[in-house]
């Protein structure tokens, strides 16, 4: 008998109803092991078409859906913290509103959480539809390697994770570090003694677009990057030499022209495994989580990681 778990999604006005519906169906209806509850955080007001989609999903779901409406758009981190509070179960699985879960995702991950506090997996990046895979991200799997890797890169692909709410709350929750909250949270969890597990097998199709590498740079991301590195140093998560290295490498990565960013990221930063060139410019992201950064529901933020953390599709 598996431990009951909650599926957590955050939705905001920039999400596409067709992407959301496919993400929901793939993570609920199509799963060989379905969640026991779904929590959907509506991050601020949404247009009528998206609201109708949410109503339809809630009414037709084979498992109970808890809707958490927020009066204003607060960003991904605070929105997910609200979702954590609404969960009935300690085990929580994350899902982004435009990705596609493989049918056996939870059948693989949920048994592993019995002896862990956070479980992640590999993912396949796709453009347009899942039959157009352009890249694969393979995370580190050895627990010590995960902890070591985390000092420079996000060791987990955020859209694939399953974690224990108790471990997340013990680390302070997501908080509000725009574009970097997932990496910051996972680092605090590891520093707090959380038991990590990663499986190399891809369990999620991660949607990428033609402008992903362009969004992985800029002053907004640089500011968040520098704030993240200061927090890591202040908390003792990184040493002084590691801090300097991260600021130079990860900070520099944010500021170089996007074409150079793509060229550097693939062979050097992310151990990129390419599955073919995208018609949109072959801008698939990387393999082992890329520079940390951008998640989905950042208020007006870019969508990108820095030198290795999972690139999430920004939609704000």
């Amino acid at each position: 008998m598996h431990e009951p778990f909650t599926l957590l999604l955050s939705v905001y006005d920039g999400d596409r109803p067709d992407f959301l519906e496919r993400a929901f169906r793939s993570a609920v209806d199509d799963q060989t092991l379905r969640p026991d509850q779904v929590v959907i955080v509506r991050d601020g007001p949404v247009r009528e078409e998206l609201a109708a989609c949410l109503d339809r999903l809630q009414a037709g779901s084979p498992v109970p859906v808890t809707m958490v409406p927020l009066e204003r758009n607060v960003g991904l981190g605070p929105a997910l913290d609200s979702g954590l509070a609404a969960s009935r179960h300690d085990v929580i699985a994350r899902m982004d509103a435009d990705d596609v879960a493989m049918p056996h995702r939870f059948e693989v991950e949920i048994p592993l959480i019995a002896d862990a506090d956070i479980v992640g997996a590999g993912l396949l990046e796709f453009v347009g539809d899942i039959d157009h895979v352009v890249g694969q991200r393979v995370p580190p799997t050895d627990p010590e390697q995960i902890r070591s890797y985390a000092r420079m890169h996000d060791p987990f692909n955020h859209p694939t994770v399953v974690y224990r709410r108790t471990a997340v709350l013990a680390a302070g929750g997501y908080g509000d570090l725009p574009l970097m909250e997932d990496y910051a949270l996972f680092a605090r969890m590891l520093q707090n003694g959380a038991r990590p597990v990663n499986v190399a097998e891809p369990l999620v199709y991660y949607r990428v677009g033609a402008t992903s590498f362009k969004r992985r740079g800029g002053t907004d991301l640089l500011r968040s990057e520098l704030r993240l590195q200061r927090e890591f140093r202040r908390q003792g998560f990184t040493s002084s030499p590691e801090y300097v290295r991260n600021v130079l490498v990860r900070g520099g990565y944010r500021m170089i022209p996007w074409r150079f960013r793509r060229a550097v990221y693939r062979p050097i930063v992310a151990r990129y495994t390419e599955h073919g060139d995208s018609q949109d410019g072959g801008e698939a992201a990387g393999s082992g989580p890329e520079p940390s950064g951008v998640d989905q529901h950042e208020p007006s933020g870019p969508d990108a990681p820095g030198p290795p953390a999972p690139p999430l599709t920004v939609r704000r």
Side-chain angles (χ1 to χ4, degrees), residues 106-224:
F106 300 138
E107 188 176 2
V108 172
E109 291 182 317
I110 295 303
L112 297 174
I113 199 70
D115 298 308
D117 296 302
I118 180 169
V119 175
L123 57 74
L124 297 177
E125 297 183 329
F126 73 98
V127 173
D129 206 347
I130 60 173
D131 59 358
H132 187 189
V133 172
V134 294
Q136 178 174 358
R137 283 198 266 154
V138 183
T141 56
D142 177 78
E144 288 309 312
Q145 185 186 17
I146 291 172
R147 293 185 182 94
S148 175
Y149 191 82
R151 298 185 187 282
M152 187 176 182
H153 316 299
D154 188 338
F156 299 100
N157 290 314
H158 190 203
T160 73
V161 298
V162 175
Y163 45 50
R164 292 192 176 276
R165 179 173 59 179
T166 49
V168 171
L169 296 181
Y174 279 92
D176 190 15
L177 179 55
L179 316 177
M180 297 283 177
E181 55 274 290
D182 58 322
Y183 184 16
L185 169 61
F186 300 154
R188 292 195 306 272
M189 290 176 69
L190 292 172
Q191 191 174 23
N192 211 34
R195 300 164 297 169
V197 171
N198 260 331
V199 293
E201 176 186 1
L203 296 177
V204 169
Y205 291 99
Y206 174 73
R207 188 182 301 275
V208 296
T211 60
S212 293
F213 276 100
K214 295 179 182 180
R215 291 194 302 260
R216 285 172 190 156
T219 55
D220 286 341
L221 266 176
L222 179 62
R223 280 193 292 268
S224 290

Side-chain angles (χ1 to χ4, degrees), residues 147-155 183 225 228-229 232 237-238 242 245-250 269 290-292 306-309:
R147 293 185 182 94
S148 175
Y149 191 82
R151 298 185 187 282
M152 187 176 182
H153 316 299
D154 188 338
Y183 184 16
E225 183 69 66
L228 176 75
Q229 296 305 326
F232 281 177
F237 186 67
T238 56
E242 288 170 334
R245 176 201 62 190
N246 291 355
V247 167
L248 292 175
V249 176
R250 294 177 58 91
V269 177
E290 70 171 61
S292 129

Side-chain angles (χ1 to χ4, degrees), residues 13 47 91 120 227 256 275 300:
D13 189 54
R47 62 195 184 282
V91 176
R227 180 180 164 191
I256 61 177
H275 280 226
S300 75

